[in-house]
Amino acid sequence: MSSISINSKNIKSNSIFIGIKGKKYDGNKFAEEAINNGAILAITNKKKYRNSKIIFNKDPFKFFNKISTNYRKALNANTIAITGSAGKTSVKELAGFCLNKLEKTYYSKRSLNNKFGVPLSINDAPQISKFLVLEVGMDKKGEINYLTKLIRPNLGLITNISYAHIKNFKSLNQIAKAKSEIINNIIYNGTMIVNMDDKYYKYFIDKSKKRGLKYFTFSKNKHNADISFLNQSKYKNMNLFKINIKGIIKSFLIPNELSSYKENILACLSIMVNYFDVKKLKKNLFLDFCIPKSRGSLINYKKNSKKLTIIDESYNSNPLSLKFALKRFNSISAETSKKFLLIGNMLELGKHSKKLHIKIAKYINEVKVNKTYVFGNYAKHTFNKLKPQIKGKILKNHMDIYKLINKDLPNNSVLMVKGSNSTGLNKIIQ
């Protein structure tokens, strides 16, 4: 099958361009450009073109989804769909990496989790794939249902439930209900993986039972889960995790930079053991994994004689993902004891914005940090509730951020940056 492109400027070899109207651009207007850039066909809802390679279709987006649905049916792959308020991209990356060590696995290297990204990811999967790992996002009711109808997952996983995108919902219960739409579309005799450390786990299990699905649980704290974390210890320059997998104790070597991602490791193993004998999972399963860019990845920053370690968590932020990031940051022991935070706005929280930004100050106050700097109007509410000894400054613009990094922070410091994408922090850090 030819690949599908929806961006006329980035045409892949032997690809079909489909004109889709987005928020900023109408792709239907760029059919000719797509052909000029190497597309073998272009689908558009504009009738003005007189080129045999440009084909009219009244609804290209509907056509796009139909192609994706048919290709998904033709794939002889176990399809895994991952959703949740925090961690879905990281779990997708980790699961895709580990599965690929054992069988041919396709997973998108970007966060393609919306109505455009999911069909693209399906169509990009090679036909020889044994596993297809997809993430599914949402910002309103019905989106998970719509996307998972396209995916028809063999296995589904919900990482957790938090206030992400709460602006479009009245309560956390509504978010949990919307995320649980994934359960509606898991294929007959499929499996649902549930995080027992999440407050909604019983709701997800009950809904899975009603659909006649198998379910599998994991937990950092509860030893009655199918997979539970036991302990960790130092091993050479790494960590050794002991994990109980249905009564079998397994040890895994975990790189230091991955050691604070216990939830992701347990979620990944929950997927793995649904397809492979526990004995096949080797001790070095997680070695060589690279944390996804801007989701806890490290940047060794150097300018002139100035050196900093930046923990880049700037891809996005919500109360739960920020709480997880703070826990990870707190587990880092900086030799120089020079640890700093730069916190930006958490967006899409609607009427809950002020309350949740105030609440997050409690978690920052528990972290071992020299100073905390904030950027954005909502983050000011966080700043006002910080302990006086850890208050840095309220940064007003991008130049203040450049000045903080290049001048104000002491040499050999560790700085964690966390904020929602639209704050612009991610672009600055890159």
Side-chain angles (χ1 to χ4, degrees), residues 168-187:
N168 294 325
F169 297 91
K170 291 181 180 178
S171 66
L172 268 184
N173 288 351
Q174 284 195 355
I175 289 180
K177 189 175 180 182
K179 292 289 186 186
S180 77
E181 290 168 7
I182 192 174
I183 298 170
N184 302 339
N185 297 310
I186 294 173
I187 65 170

Side-chain angles (χ1 to χ4, degrees), residues 81-92 111 113 134-139 144 148 156-165 169 172 175-176 178-182 192-193 195 198 200 204 218 264 267 295 316 318 320-321 324:
I82 299 167
T83 193
S85 296
K88 54 186 173 290
T89 301
S90 299
V91 171
K92 175 207 70 181
S111 185
N113 62 22
L134 301 166
E135 63 174 292
V136 187
M138 69 161 206
D139 58 21
I144 301 281
T148 51
L157 186 151
I158 300 174
T159 57
N160 45 55
I161 300 298
S162 181
Y163 283 91
H165 306 294
F169 297 91
L172 268 184
I175 289 180
K179 292 289 186 186
S180 77
E181 290 168 7
I182 192 174
M192 187 68 204
I193 293 177
N195 178 3
D198 187 83
Y200 290 97
F204 297 141
F218 68 91
N264 296 358
R295 289 178 170 84
N316 225 329
N318 62 57
L320 187 60
S321 70
F324 285 159

Side-chain angles (χ1 to χ4, degrees), residues 34-279:
I35 295 296
N36 292 336
N37 287 339
I40 57 172
L41 279 178
I43 312 297
T44 177
N45 64 10
K46 307 295 180 190
K47 292 183 176 179
K48 63 178 182 178
Y49 299 107
R50 296 178 180 272
N51 186 323
S52 61
K53 290 184 177 181
I54 300 175
I55 298 171
F56 170 78
N57 187 288
K58 188 177 179 181
D59 191 341
F61 183 64
K62 189 175 179 181
F63 178 71
F64 179 39
N65 284 334
K66 189 174 181 180
I67 290 174
S68 303
T69 300
N70 290 336
Y71 187 60
R72 162 64 186 99
K73 289 176 182 176
L75 278 173
N76 187 27
N78 284 286
T79 305
I80 295 155
I82 299 167
T83 193
S85 296
K88 54 186 173 290
T89 301
S90 299
V91 171
K92 175 207 70 181
E93 296 272 334
L94 188 59
F97 170 83
C98 291
L99 285 166
N100 200 41
K101 283 189 170 185
L102 298 174
E103 292 280 5
K104 179 67 177 176
T105 301
Y106 177 78
Y107 58 105
S108 166
K109 297 295 190 295
R110 291 181 291 151
S111 185
L112 296 173
N113 62 22
N114 63 12
K115 64 181 180 179
F116 307 124
V118 168
L120 277 175
S121 294
I122 292 171
N123 282 294
D124 282 345
Q127 288 185 323
I128 59 169
S129 301
K130 295 296 182 185
F131 292 97
L132 171 59
V133 188
L134 301 166
E135 63 174 292
V136 187
M138 69 161 206
D139 58 21
K140 58 181 181 288
K141 178 184 174 184
E143 286 187 321
I144 301 281
N145 188 53
Y146 170 78
L147 291 172
T148 51
K149 275 182 179 174
L150 290 179
I151 296 168
R152 295 173 67 247
N154 298 87
L155 181 147
L157 186 151
I158 300 174
T159 57
N160 45 55
I161 300 298
S162 181
Y163 283 91
H165 306 294
I166 189 68
K167 71 172 185 176
N168 294 325
F169 297 91
K170 291 181 180 178
S171 66
L172 268 184
N173 288 351
Q174 284 195 355
I175 289 180
K177 189 175 180 182
K179 292 289 186 186
S180 77
E181 290 168 7
I182 192 174
I183 298 170
N184 302 339
N185 297 310
I186 294 173
I187 65 170
Y188 173 74
N189 209 29
T191 302
M192 187 68 204
I193 293 177
V194 178
N195 178 3
M196 280 185 74
D197 297 327
D198 187 83
K199 66 181 283 188
Y200 290 97
Y201 84 92
K202 287 182 179 176
Y203 168 67
F204 297 141
I205 287 174
D206 287 345
K207 188 168 180 177
S208 300
K209 284 179 179 177
K210 285 176 184 174
R211 271 224 60 220
L213 300 175
K214 294 174 280 188
Y215 65 89
F216 200 86
T217 58
F218 68 91
S219 172
K220 287 190 302 180
N221 310 307
K222 298 180 175 75
H223 293 314
N224 61 329
D226 293 308
I227 289 189
S228 60
F229 177 81
L230 297 178
N231 59 57
Q232 71 183 88
S233 56
K234 282 290 178 185
Y235 181 85
K236 296 181 179 179
N237 61 340
M238 289 179 286
N239 296 272
L240 193 68
F241 277 23
K242 275 194 176 179
I243 295 172
N244 186 343
I245 304 175
K246 284 203 162 185
I248 298 172
I249 310 301
K250 289 283 290 185
S251 295
F252 296 95
L253 292 170
I254 307 296
N256 288 326
E257 60 270 22
L258 194 59
S259 64
S260 52
Y261 289 79
K262 292 186 184 72
E263 296 90 354
N264 296 358
I265 289 167
L266 293 170
C268 173
L269 285 171
S270 298
I271 293 170
M272 301 291 291
V273 298
N274 271 278
Y275 294 106
F276 299 101
D277 189 319
V278 176
K279 294 172 185 175

Side-chain angles (χ1 to χ4, degrees), residues 318-328 360 363 418:
N318 62 57
L320 187 60
S321 70
L322 178 50
K323 188 177 174 182
F324 285 159
L326 289 170
K327 281 185 178 180
R328 291 193 289 269
I360 208 68
Y363 300 112
K418 182 75 172 169

